[in-house]
Amino acid sequence: MNLQALQVAAPAAFSDSAAPHVSDRYTHVKTSDIVERLMDRGFTIRSAAQQKTQKRKSGHELFQRHKVTMDLPDAKGFGATAKLGNIFPTLTLVNSGDWSTNFLLAAGLFRLVCENGMIAPFGAANETLKVRHDRIDEDVTLGIDRVIEKAPQLFQFADDAISHKMTEQQQYRFARKAARLRFDVADEDPVSSEMIAGLNQARRPDDAGDDLWSIFNRVQENGTHGGFRIAGPNGRLRRVRGRSNIASDLSWNQGLWNLTKEVLQGPEPSLN
């Protein structure tokens, strides 16, 4: 994706000013400026998205929350050395011009999951850096350097997860805990069997294993893309939609990543 395609996918990334209602004390950060700086350092744009504008916010398209995901320099070299298939380290930028979010830099991973090149995101943000608008140059430079430095640890996470085998009961409990994160089910409320089965189903043979890596991937992908059915408030089955809200998607990925790290670090966390 080049800058022209980015402007189509996320026009708010090119806004020169903040929303009119924002305080004068707010220093606007133009996302495209940071993207260009990253491109100068060898990063490439993988994907971009922008939050849809609600009818009551018509005219705010240039100030909406948006995200841009970029491959690290020599990203394919990282994947080759890790021997984990088509997996690449990424940097995701999240920003808005209406003060609805701080400027965020999040390290994560992407994988190509089938021959036609379909991309599945997972593990968004093993570490998230908030950037202060009054020291953008210092914080962004620090964030870029930290992401490059931390990238090998992302692959160590994957290696460790591959080696961690889980019983059927442990898989069930992991998916149940993940369902609480994905569907915001309170600890005192039960999780439906449809939620657990839907998150834990393998969409492809490569994800059908009993290792934590396979379980993490299938739960993450099902939770992100939806497509399975669960009971609604009226008891009828409804189709789970894919996540389109940028903030909730980041929260889901970060929560699942942290849950998986807890399992790896042991002893087994509470998976109620």
Side-chain angles (χ1 to χ4, degrees), residues 107-119:
L109 294 171
F110 265 79
R111 68 170 182 161
L112 299 178
V113 296
C114 60
E115 292 182 358
N116 67 8
M118 187 179 82
I119 297 172

Side-chain angles (χ1 to χ4, degrees), residues 12 49-52 60-61 63-67 94-98 100-101 245-248 250:
Q50 179 168 315
Q51 199 68 53
K52 292 182 179 180
H60 285 216
E61 290 82 1
F63 313 115
Q64 288 290 89
R65 182 185 287 115
H66 53 278
K67 69 175 180 178
V94 180
N95 196 18
S96 74
D98 60 2
S100 62
T101 183
N245 183 281
I246 292 174
S248 62
L250 287 173

Side-chain angles (χ1 to χ4, degrees), residues 95-145:
N95 196 18
S96 74
D98 60 2
W99 223 343
S100 62
T101 183
N102 290 319
F103 190 101
L104 300 178
L105 296 175
L109 294 171
F110 265 79
R111 68 170 182 161
L112 299 178
V113 296
C114 60
E115 292 182 358
N116 67 8
M118 187 179 82
I119 297 172
F122 62 93
N126 75 309
E127 180 173 345
T128 301
L129 174 68
K130 291 186 178 181
V131 178
R132 284 176 48 179
H133 291 77
D134 60 347
R135 40 185 263 184
I136 184 69
D137 289 333
E138 178 184 348
D139 285 348
V140 169
T141 300
L142 175 64
I144 294 170
D145 291 340

